[in-house]
Amino acid sequence: MGHSAAQMSAIAAEQIARVERALASHGTREYPVAVLDLDFFDANAADLARRAGGTPIRVASKSLRVRALLERALEHTGFRGILAYTLPEALWLASAGYHDIVVAYPTVDRSALRRLAEDPAARRAITVMVDETAHLDLIADATTGVHLGGTPIRVALELDASFAPVPSVRFGAHRSPMHAPEQVSRLAREASARRGLRVVGLMAYEGQIAGVTDSARTPYGAAVRAMKSLSSREIATRRGETVRAVQEVAELEFVNAGGTGSIESSVAEDVVTEVAAGSGLIGPGLFDNYVGFAPLPALLLGFTVVRRPAPRVATLLGGGWIASGVPAADRLPTLWYPRGLTYAPQEGAGEVQTPVIGDAAEGLRIGDMVWLRHAKSGEPAEHATVYHLLQGEHITDVTPTYRGEGRMFL
Ligand SMILES: Cc1ncc(COP(=O)(O)O)c(C=O)c1O
């Protein structure tokens, strides 16, 4: 169960006391500042591993976008391999020595496919995702004239894991067009017949279970929980049938399933060999409201008060780090500390300034910090060039994000 409001307040007060002491003794002067609480990150990693119950967790890199954090996650027992989000990212990681990288989304980047084709070490390290013939054609184009020797391009097939209980109702992301097991086994057959390709894996991401909050004590919350329970039964049957059908065509090294929010139901399926997770390491705002687990908030964003336009209003410089997805209030950062602040209804979180309102604003002075949490895990790394790593009461390192390393993949 998610943390109660009182628990959240206690967590925030203890954490911010540590953060502010650490930044003061570190001499941090550059704001906004992103602080990654390693104690909470490690506790979250241990909790994910506990929930996975021995099924390996593949780290979803899009939810970190910081190499030092990918490495730290992979040092934890129970974690193995990377679920990358673009082929250029995977090639970059492979060139830095990472291996066992599955790219979770199809690529149409011909130059990246060509680089993959021409690099045997990358071909060994990386698996690309396909869900239709056009993807196979693009790979074939990119490999034309390249001698692949005994190191084929590794491909995985994505099964659509969405749930459509009746014809006009559908839950889940619009991802793969392959919903039926036969569609997947047909593409497996086609891929296996192509020169230089080897089908090695299957992936299906049940986003309607993994990525939808479910703890609301309302009719909506009850409906979400019912949908999840029906959907997990449906995908278990269909995923099992798909794996058996594909195994007649190809030898599968992995069957990847789920995300942070679906670990228990994903690992309960016999055919699933690994789960993917990333958000659960960070514990962003959107993961505060799940029934089955409660990650600790590991990533904090500190913005400074630069104006006091009225007694109960303090205005921050910046703050408008809005999350992707359907635009709504849940895409705003969570106002984490001081507790009890709200957004100004007509401004929200702004590009250059964010007024925060309430009794708690009364005590804020020019130069004070207000701490926010992003709604999503990986997107702050597109704003911040470095994360300050906090351990106990000390900043132990300042590490670059992908963006800080000059990399932008999406
Ligand atoms: C294929 C796939 N697996 C898993 C996840 C879940 O990642 P996380 O646990 O970071 O939310 C995602 C998120 O979008 C995904 O696209």
Side-chain angles (χ1 to χ4, degrees), residues 65 286 321-327 330-331 374-376 379:
R65 307 188 199 194
L286 281 171
W321 296 12
I322 312 293
S324 59
V326 181
D330 67 355
R331 304 290 134 170
H374 203 274
K376 301 192 78 172
E379 292 178 22

Side-chain angles (χ1 to χ4, degrees), residues 16 19-20 23 31-33 300-308 313-319 333-343 354-357 360-373:
I16 298 304
V19 168
E20 292 194 335
L23 289 179
Y31 301 108
V33 62
L300 304 185
L301 310 171
F303 291 88
T304 37
V305 174
V306 290
R307 283 178 168 153
R308 288 298 320 270
V313 184
T315 300
L316 314 179
L317 185 64
T334 302
L335 293 168
W336 180 236
Y337 197 87
R339 304 294 286 169
L341 294 170
T342 57
Y343 286 109
T354 299
V356 292
I357 296 180
E362 200 81 58
L364 289 170
R365 299 284 163 262
I366 302 295
D368 283 353
M369 303 293 294
V370 170
W371 293 94
L372 275 53
R373 292 166 55 213

Side-chain angles (χ1 to χ4, degrees), residues 60 62-63 83 104-105 158 175 203 205 210 256 258-261 276-280 287 377:
K62 72 160 186 82
S63 298
L83 193 72
Y105 313 89
E158 181 164 351
R175 297 180 60 114
M203 187 185 81
Y205 172 55
N256 180 284
T260 292
S279 300
F287 279 76
S377 300

Side-chain angles (χ1 to χ4, degrees), residues 59-77:
V59 189
S61 65
K62 72 160 186 82
S63 298
L64 298 178
R65 307 188 199 194
V66 177
R67 283 207 278 168
L69 296 181
L70 277 177
E71 275 150 38
R72 193 166 184 106
L74 291 169
E75 279 164 13
H76 276 270
T77 312

Side-chain angles (χ1 to χ4, degrees), residues 251-263:
E251 206 174 307
L252 291 176
E253 293 174 19
F254 66 86
V255 176
N256 180 284
T260 292
S262 74
I263 290 183

